[in-house]
Amino acid sequence: MLQIGQIAPDFTAETTQGKIHFHEWIEGSWAVLFSHPKDFTPVCTTELGSVARLKGEFDKRGVKVIGLSIDPVADHLRWEKDIEETQGAAVNFPMIGDTDLSIAKAWGMLPAATPGSSAGRTPADNQTVRTVFVIAPDKTIKLQLAYPMTTGRNFDEILRVIDSLQLTAKFKVATPADWKAGGDVIITGAVSDEEAKTRFPQGWRTPKPYMRIVKLPDAPKQN
């Protein structure tokens, strides 16, 4: 299993937008890789349409999006027509073909010993290939979420997490439960009170000695 903080495995693959070398593709950007067990599956169809509609929101945050499904790229291209027809949005990001299962195995979504190729495999065979990864510009994994096949993913939540990751990387803060962009944040334990006075001259609230809550006036609020 991959761990948060680990370098995301590199790979070369064919996609619906041409061949990519993953580490080169994400160079200097945040990235989201989200995977699917099979083409022409109903829940995944809705998810791909949702991400297509939200592409502008990912772009605003400097985040590249890429999908993966264990089927050939030619099937992805046929599936994209169904997605546009049923979801009202054309897929506007690349989709990786992983017919030899190598990427799914390297990223811990299928056991390394899984035999064969995508041919003849059912969605149930690939049910663990339903993971969202958020990767930072330094190519480390910052988030991974695995979903069952029967539960569609909430990409507004993925955007919320990205807002938190980008904010906390910049300001040495953490975000509380149910935080949304523009809300109060928590000064991390790695920042001493003396350093905090310099970083946060506006001051902070201390409901408990281990809780220092502050508002960041220069942190932009996302819609």
Side-chain angles (χ1 to χ4, degrees), residues 15-16 46 50 73 94 97 99 139 162 222:
T15 81
T16 52
T46 66
S50 178
V73 167
T99 55
K139 302 178 181 67
I162 290 168
Q222 301 284 357

Side-chain angles (χ1 to χ4, degrees), residues 171-192:
F171 288 101
K172 287 192 175 181
V173 295
T175 56
D178 303 321
W179 174 87
K180 293 182 180 179
D184 291 352
V185 297
I186 298 167
I187 303 170
T188 67
V191 178
S192 68

Side-chain angles (χ1 to χ4, degrees), residues 124-135:
D125 294 331
N126 302 331
Q127 62 184 298
T128 52
V129 188
R130 275 187 59 72
T131 308
V132 179
F133 298 91
V134 177
I135 302 109

Side-chain angles (χ1 to χ4, degrees), residues 9 11-13 68 70 97-108 110 116:
F11 58 84
T12 299
L68 177 147
I70 296 181
D98 189 25
T99 55
D100 64 359
L101 316 180
S102 61
I103 302 169
K105 289 190 277 189
W107 285 65
L110 285 175

Side-chain angles (χ1 to χ4, degrees), residues 70-209:
I70 296 181
D71 269 321
V73 167
D75 286 357
H76 297 354
L77 293 169
R78 291 192 296 113
W79 189 20
E80 286 184 359
K81 296 176 183 177
D82 290 356
I83 294 162
E84 183 173 9
E85 178 184 343
T86 62
Q87 306 305 305
V91 176
N92 45 16
F93 49 87
M95 282 283 291
I96 299 162
D98 189 25
T99 55
D100 64 359
L101 316 180
S102 61
I103 302 169
K105 289 190 277 189
W107 285 65
M109 294 180 280
L110 285 175
T114 302
S117 68
S118 63
R121 293 182 66 85
T122 68
D125 294 331
N126 302 331
Q127 62 184 298
T128 52
V129 188
R130 275 187 59 72
T131 308
V132 179
F133 298 91
V134 177
I135 302 109
D138 64 0
K139 302 178 181 67
T140 58
I141 295 169
K142 296 300 183 185
L143 170 84
Q144 54 178 323
L145 294 171
Y147 286 75
M149 290 200 302
T150 52
T151 301
R153 287 170 270 198
N154 183 337
F155 288 96
D156 286 327
E157 166 62 6
I158 305 304
L159 288 168
R160 188 192 75 88
V161 173
I162 290 168
D163 286 341
S164 172
L165 289 168
Q166 293 182 340
L167 185 77
T168 58
K170 181 177 180 181
F171 288 101
K172 287 192 175 181
V173 295
T175 56
D178 303 321
W179 174 87
K180 293 182 180 179
D184 291 352
V185 297
I186 298 167
I187 303 170
T188 67
V191 178
S192 68
D193 281 349
E194 286 305 309
E195 183 183 352
K197 289 175 184 176
T198 301
R199 286 182 168 273
F200 311 105
Q202 73 273 29
W204 59 84
R205 294 185 291 114
T206 310
K208 290 292 181 181

